[in-house]
Amino acid sequence: MIKDTEILVIGAGPAGLAAASAAAFLGASVLICERDDAPGGQLVKQTHKFFGSEKQYAGDRGIYIGRRLTGAVRENPQIELMTNATVLGIYDDGIVTVLHDNRHLKIRPQKTIVATGAAEKFLAFPGNDLPGIYGAGAVQTLMNVAGVRPAERVLMVGAGNIGLIVTYQLLQAGVQVAGVIEAAPKIGGYLVHASKIRRAGVPILTRHTVCEAFGTDQLEGVRICRLDDQGQKIPGSEETVACDTLCLAVGLTPLTELCWQAGCEMAWIRELSGHVPIVDENLETSVPGLYAAGDVSGIEEASSAMVEGRLAGLAAAGSLGYRPEQAKEEILAARAELAELRSGPTGGKIMAGLARMREAGKTKGGVFVC
Amino acid sequence: MLIETGIPTAEDLQSVTPPAGRLARGAVAIAECFQKIPCNPCTRACPRHAIRIEPDINETPQIDYEACTGCGACIARCPGLAIFVVDMTYSDSEALVMLAFEFLPVPEAGQLACGLDREGKELGWFPVVRVVSGGKENKTYTVSLAVPRELAMEVRNIRAGGYQNGKQNG
Ligand SMILES: Cc1cc2nc3c(=O)[nH]c(=O)nc-3n(C[C@H](O)[C@H](O)[C@H](O)COP(=O)(O)OP(=O)(O)OC[C@H]3O[C@@H](n4cnc5c(N)ncnc54)[C@H](O)[C@@H]3O)c2cc1C
Ligand code: SF4
Ligand code: SF4
């Protein structure tokens, strides 16, 4: 049997939830498919207070933002939320296949919004397959979702926001953190987060990297070394850090398999952290009726993911003919909000990335108007 | 350098320290928030509208020290835990430092807590004067600590646990 829906949203993170609410607000009916057993995306493990604008609930803890977005979706009779529902493929004939509770499902949406978020990057070094080496997302899930203390003593790799925040959450869980090492000469995450863990006694070592991890049956320690101005290892600078866990927070990359498979035109944009679908200003990809919002179209923040989701939801519902005037107005408001969020130095990188993505769209002969 | 270590320099701190005359008049907020980031919850947290982030959300916060009463309402709201209130007039020899705290166990008023500087180094044991919960969803505690005046600009954290009961020695 084929299930029909007006708008299909793939992923129930901040982008997907905001997209569903916005589309339903204009009158469309929406189905959300989420592969996890609970909605919320990254927000379910973010126990810290969020940055961003008050308009996107900044200052509130991520978990509560997630609950609020989920609550709004659940209360809305126009929206159906399906969990344990992994979208497998998007096909030319408009059919989307889903694995739901071990059953194969076919969905025929009129519009689709991909909001699948991101995947963690890993790092290559000798010994990186030892038990005790985790991605930051796994450590966060153990601590903040399962309530398990993941380690005794951790070395964190990466001083971006994720590395800094997860370090802080490890300290809160009573875990010792030996230090945070970062290959770049500067701390990449927000300095208030860095100062917060430094005040708790955790050293942050920039220009440092992992040489190797060692241990018999499980991780016992890590050899680290300093890097010179060219990023080359400085001979003789090696040190050993004893730890039972090495946590890698070396970045995220957009989870774009569905976009590739659907045939979207893609571009590799460093500032957006990987391959991204080329989208227009309504976040529609080169495949008509297929939109991409949130981290899947460039690693950014929950605040911008929510606004992007809203924008895609409005555009998709508007194009189905729902309250076009209102849609137009709300779309302009969402675009203005995105522009404000991206107006500072941290947003500069995203703006540069988006400009390059649009350029890539033009050179590929697309019809992308900026 | 702050951007390499997470520790603000003397110049960084100078740029956010209220004038001596204002400090001498009593409690006042200090935002140790030095980087342009898209963040602004502190502006709404202040009932006296003493914190401004203008013209746009990426500016660093500016505190109007004349309008600020040092009430401390902004401390728990800041996601960076970057706002402190210092009251140099607390007693003849002590200043009160109010700071955000998000660890367990939470100290109780009357106990002594180990004060830490911006590098996490121990500065001594100081009496906890007040502990205020940020509420069910906010969950950040605001801890007020009585510290020797000369440490008012140094104490910026406390160690979680190990609190001692009773009066400060010496
Ligand atoms: C440690 C950490 C701290 C952060 N702190 C902040 C912060 O302070 N402020 C801030 O603004 N942002 C913060 N972020 C970033 C923020 O969490 C993300 O930018 C945001 O969650 C992205 O939203 P999204 O909806 O695009 O993706 P996600 O939240 O990743 O959601 C994607 C969802 O799609 C689902 N999915 C994926 N593939 C499929 C499929 N095939 N079928 C069905 N479902 C699928 C996933 O299970 C997931 O639920 C932080 C992130 C981390 C990791
Ligand atoms: S201490 Fe009180 S008055 Fe001063 S800035 Fe903070 S909230 Fe406003
Ligand atoms: S809320 Fe805190 S981190 Fe955010 S701008 Fe204000 S002082 Fe800085």
Side-chain angles (χ1 to χ4, degrees):
Chain A
M1 201 192 79
I2 294 179
K3 190 176 164 72
D4 277 289
T5 183
E6 284 182 333
I7 296 178
L8 171 69
V9 175
I10 307 174
L17 292 168
S21 284
F25 164 78
L26 289 180
S29 59
V30 183
L31 170 67
I32 312 179
C33 285
E34 166 56 55
R35 68 174 172 190
D36 210 4
D37 57 5
Q42 294 284 344
L43 295 180
V44 301
K45 39 188 194 190
Q46 308 310 344
T47 52
H48 62 288
K49 289 182 285 192
F50 266 39
F51 283 86
S53 158
E54 285 273 354
K55 278 187 213 144
Q56 289 94 33
Y57 317 114
D60 289 357
R61 296 188 184 274
I63 34 170
Y64 297 121
I65 301 175
R67 281 185 206 167
R68 205 166 309 164
L69 295 173
T70 303
V73 158
R74 286 200 201 279
E75 276 165 23
N76 197 319
Q78 298 274 101
I79 306 173
E80 182 185 351
L81 173 63
M82 207 186 265
T83 52
N84 293 311
T86 305
V87 173
L88 304 173
I90 301 171
Y91 298 95
D92 287 348
D93 55 1
I95 301 289
V96 175
T97 56
V98 180
L99 188 67
H100 176 49
D101 287 339
N102 275 327
R103 288 212 325 273
H104 223 84
L105 218 94
K106 284 184 181 170
I107 297 173
R108 185 169 39 211
Q110 293 174 35
K111 306 278 169 186
T112 300
I113 300 170
V114 182
T116 47
E120 269 182 293
K121 292 186 194 162
F122 211 65
L123 207 61
F125 53 86
N128 74 355
D129 57 347
L130 276 169
I133 302 179
Y134 296 89
V139 165
Q140 254 200 328
T141 305
L142 282 172
M143 279 193 300
N144 301 347
V145 182
V148 174
R149 187 171 143 169
E152 293 294 325
R153 187 174 152 88
V154 175
L155 178 69
M156 179 66 68
V157 184
N161 272 332
I162 296 181
L164 299 175
I165 289 168
V166 176
T167 296
Y168 185 68
Q169 293 175 351
L170 281 160
L171 296 172
Q172 287 179 309
V175 176
Q176 260 189 45
V177 182
V180 178
I181 64 169
E182 165 62 56
K186 289 177 183 171
I187 295 169
Y190 292 160
L191 297 178
V192 281
H193 283 318
S195 298
K196 195 155 85 176
I197 62 170
R198 183 64 250 212
R199 283 203 290 279
V202 178
I204 302 170
L205 305 172
T206 49
R207 298 176 193 262
H208 275 75
T209 192
V210 179
C211 302
E212 61 167 335
F214 61 86
T216 320
D217 299 319
Q218 96 118 57
L219 184 72
E220 288 163 22
V222 179
R223 304 273 297 155
I224 62 170
C225 75
R226 276 193 286 137
L227 298 173
D228 63 18
D229 290 343
Q230 279 71 46
Q232 299 299 312
K233 292 178 180 164
I234 300 178
S237 68
E238 290 88 0
E239 277 174 74
T240 300
V241 181
C243 54
D244 65 349
T245 298
L246 182 69
C247 185
L248 300 175
V250 291
L252 301 173
T253 186
L255 195 60
T256 49
E257 278 86 348
L258 287 173
C259 300
W260 285 103
Q261 185 270 334
C264 298
E265 279 197 23
M266 307 289 288
W268 193 86
I269 310 284
R270 187 173 47 83
E271 293 89 343
L272 302 178
S273 307
H275 276 100
V276 292
I278 293 171
V279 293
D280 68 8
E281 49 181 9
N282 282 338
L283 307 183
E284 191 168 3
T285 67
S286 61
V287 175
L290 189 71
Y291 298 75
D295 278 357
V296 68
S297 60
I299 305 300
E300 209 177 339
E301 301 250 284
S303 39
S304 42
M306 280 183 262
V307 186
E308 280 204 352
R310 209 170 84 215
L311 174 56
L314 293 164
S319 71
L320 288 177
Y322 286 104
R323 293 159 68 185
E325 285 309 308
Q326 175 117 24
K328 210 185 264 172
E329 214 171 280
E330 299 272 342
I331 283 171
L332 291 178
R335 282 192 201 141
E337 240 172 87
L338 278 175
E340 193 198 355
L341 282 173
R342 291 168 177 162
S343 64
T346 42
K349 189 178 129 198
I350 300 293
M351 294 301 284
L354 292 175
R356 289 191 46 210
M357 181 268 292
R358 299 233 157 87
E359 259 327 290
K362 277 187 206 149
T363 53
K364 283 186 181 173
V367 283
F368 304 98
V369 199
C370 312
Chain B
M1 280 268 288
L2 174 61
I3 193 127
E4 290 161 5
T5 61
I7 309 164
T9 61
E11 295 89 83
D12 291 332
L13 295 170
Q14 188 64 42
S15 69
V16 297
T17 305
R22 177 63 189 83
L23 281 166
R25 284 210 314 276
V28 64
I30 302 173
E32 297 190 8
C33 178
F34 304 103
Q35 186 183 30
K36 291 189 173 184
I37 53 174
C39 184
N40 68 6
C42 52
T43 57
R44 287 257 199 109
C46 176
R48 301 184 51 89
H49 310 291
I51 311 184
R52 297 236 161 88
I53 290 183
E54 283 167 355
D56 78 83
I57 184 167
N58 286 287
E59 283 304 317
T60 53
Q62 302 300 320
I63 300 182
D64 177 348
Y65 301 122
E66 294 311 311
C68 170
T69 58
C71 70
C74 49
I75 295 176
R77 193 73 191 148
C78 164
L81 310 193
I83 307 181
F84 304 88
V85 166
V86 169
D87 181 0
M88 288 300 225
T89 64
Y90 179 66
S91 79
D92 289 347
S93 58
E94 290 167 306
L96 197 72
V97 174
M98 292 167 80
L99 48 86
F101 187 66
E102 297 186 323
F103 287 82
L104 291 173
V106 179
E108 285 169 24
Q111 289 183 315
L112 298 179
C114 181
L116 306 174
D117 71 3
R118 294 183 185 84
E119 298 179 41
K121 285 208 204 96
E122 294 184 13
L123 293 170
W125 290 79
F126 310 116
V128 174
V129 175
R130 210 174 328 129
V131 177
V132 180
S133 160
K136 233 165 123 196
E137 287 213 347
N138 175 282
K139 289 196 164 87
T140 303
Y141 286 85
T142 302
V143 173
S144 302
L145 217 58
V147 308
R149 258 198 209 165
E150 63 276 15
L151 293 181
M153 293 302 174
E154 303 300 323
V155 177
R156 286 298 176 267
N157 195 10
I158 57 169
R159 156 141 333 125
Y163 308 120
Q164 301 170 9
N165 289 313
K167 287 260 168 289
Q168 186 186 14
N169 314 315

